Amino acid sequence: DRLVRVHAMRMLGEREPLTEPARGWAVAGLDDIDPFVRRAAAETLGRHPRLESIRPLLDARHATPADDPQRVHAVRIALRNQLLAPDAWQAVAGGGYSEDDLRSLADVAPGVPAIESAHFLLAHVVRFGEPRERLLRYEHHIARNGDEATDAGLLDLARGHAPDDLGFALAQVREISQG
C-alpha cells in the first residue's frame, strides 16, 4: 500500500541515528513506483546526510522529470543537505562525477554558505560555463562566500565573459558587488 510505504519512509526520517539497513531502504525508496514514496525517501536522506547518499540522490535527480517540481525540490534539498558536511566538497572533488552530476551539484551549491562551495562553483563555471542567469547567481554566491583566491578568479571570469555586452557586464558587477 502506497500510504504504508510513505509513512515507512517518514518514520525512517525520524530515526536517530539512521542505521545502514534503514538508509538502504530509503535509497531503495528513491526508485519506488509511487512519486509520493520517492519524495518521502529523498526527504529521509536529506534529514540524515551521508556522503554515500550523494550518488543515489544524483541518480534520482537525473531520473526526475521536469513536470514533477515537488520531487525535484525534495531531491535538491536532500543533495544540499549532503553538502553541508565539512568534508563533502573534498569528496565531490575526488568523486569522479560526470558533467551532468557536477551541474546538479552546482545547482544546489548556492544553498551551502561555505567557502568550499564557492571554490567548487568557481572551478565549475570556469570548466563548464553556465547560462547567463545561472552564472549571475553563481557569481553572487562566490563573491559572498569566497576568499581572496576566489575573488581574483571571479574578476578574471567577469572580465573575459561577454566583453561586448555592456548590460550583462553591469549585471555581473552588480551581483559581485552585492555578494
Side-chain angles (χ1 to χ4, degrees):
D1 183 284
R2 168 185 103 162
L3 189 59
V4 172
R5 294 192 318 273
V6 169
H7 284 296
M9 289 300 141
R10 293 206 172 127
M11 287 171 43
L12 291 176
E14 295 295 325
R15 298 193 102 177
E16 278 301 329
L18 186 67
T19 64
E20 188 56 33
R23 190 188 81 76
W25 298 331
V27 168
L30 291 172
D31 294 325
D32 195 273
I33 59 171
D34 187 85
F36 290 100
V37 177
R38 292 190 300 259
R39 283 183 222 136
E43 290 168 3
T44 294
L45 292 173
R47 294 185 77 175
H48 298 281
R50 290 170 98 169
L51 297 177
E52 300 85 20
S53 297
I54 293 174
R55 174 81 265 153
L57 286 166
L58 284 169
D59 293 340
R61 176 65 184 96
H62 299 318
T64 302
D67 65 349
D68 188 354
Q70 292 172 328
R71 183 172 179 223
V72 169
H73 186 68
V75 173
R76 286 182 73 230
I77 288 173
L79 273 171
R80 186 243 6 235
N81 290 352
Q82 309 310 306
L83 299 172
L84 291 170
D87 57 344
W89 293 106
Q90 290 176 349
V92 166
Y97 294 104
S98 70
E99 181 178 342
D100 286 341
D101 293 340
L102 294 172
R103 287 187 186 279
S104 293
L105 293 170
D107 181 49
V108 300
V112 182
I115 193 168
E116 294 86 3
S117 65
H119 282 276
F120 168 80
L121 275 178
L122 180 60
H124 173 78
V125 296
V126 167
R127 182 175 176 194
F128 297 114
E130 286 289 345
R132 289 181 173 197
E133 181 180 308
R134 195 171 297 152
L135 179 62
L136 291 173
R137 184 170 66 112
Y138 293 169
E139 287 175 329
H140 182 100
H141 177 79
I142 294 165
R144 175 164 291 196
N145 296 286
D147 57 10
E148 291 176 11
T150 56
D151 290 346
L154 192 56
L155 290 175
D156 289 342
L157 179 69
R159 282 187 192 116
H161 200 62
D164 58 337
D165 187 349
L166 184 58
F168 184 67
L170 290 173
Q172 286 183 293
V173 168
R174 182 183 65 242
E175 291 302 323
I176 292 169
S177 175
Q178 289 176 353

